[in-house]
Amino acid sequence: MSRFNITDLPLEGVKKVERQLLGDERGFLSRIFCASELATCGWHGPVAQINHTFTAKKGTVRGLHFQHAPFSEMKLVSCLKGHIWDVVVDLRADSPTFLQWYGETLSSEDGSGLLIPEGFAHGFQTLCDDVELLYCHSAAYEPNAEAGINIFEPRLAINWPLPVSECSARDQAFPPLDVEYSGVARK
């Protein structure tokens, strides 16, 4: 029996993963990760790192982050508390959707998350206060491979649903994409 409903999204390889909540009068159980089930939709390798984030203020944007090869990573992002608008940007140079983005609302109420393949930048905006996310990563964080795209990159023209209330200095400092930007290489 599958514990996930998995839906293809418009950018190749990106999937919406909805966890099945098994519950009774005591509460519920929700499977966050299952290697064999997620392998059918592209997850490969182990979970190398798990991160938990808390964001206090509605309208905050985190992202758009990625790691360069050979440290590029798949991510399974799950919303544990609150609501977010999750954004992925296709940075795969050989992709027909190169530099296109997609946004999806994720919430703790419906147990939803995104499976994001290698070659994508990722970010989100909180739609309420006190939001918590859980990230499963296929590769460990490598500071020297870290990169990002400015959330207001004009070539992307992302329509954030709320005015941006907060964004880190690091995320604001990501430079604009060079006119000659050619994407990231796949592993």
Side-chain angles (χ1 to χ4, degrees), residues 13-29:
V14 180
K15 314 280 186 189
K16 184 168 185 178
V17 178
E18 295 172 286
R19 300 182 311 276
Q20 300 298 304
L21 303 179
L22 303 176
D24 58 25
E25 65 280 352
R26 300 168 295 165
F28 69 85
L29 170 111

Side-chain angles (χ1 to χ4, degrees), residues 111-127:
S112 58
L114 284 188
L115 180 69
I116 305 164
E118 296 168 2
F120 282 79
H122 171 258
F124 67 90
Q125 183 175 47
T126 56
L127 301 178

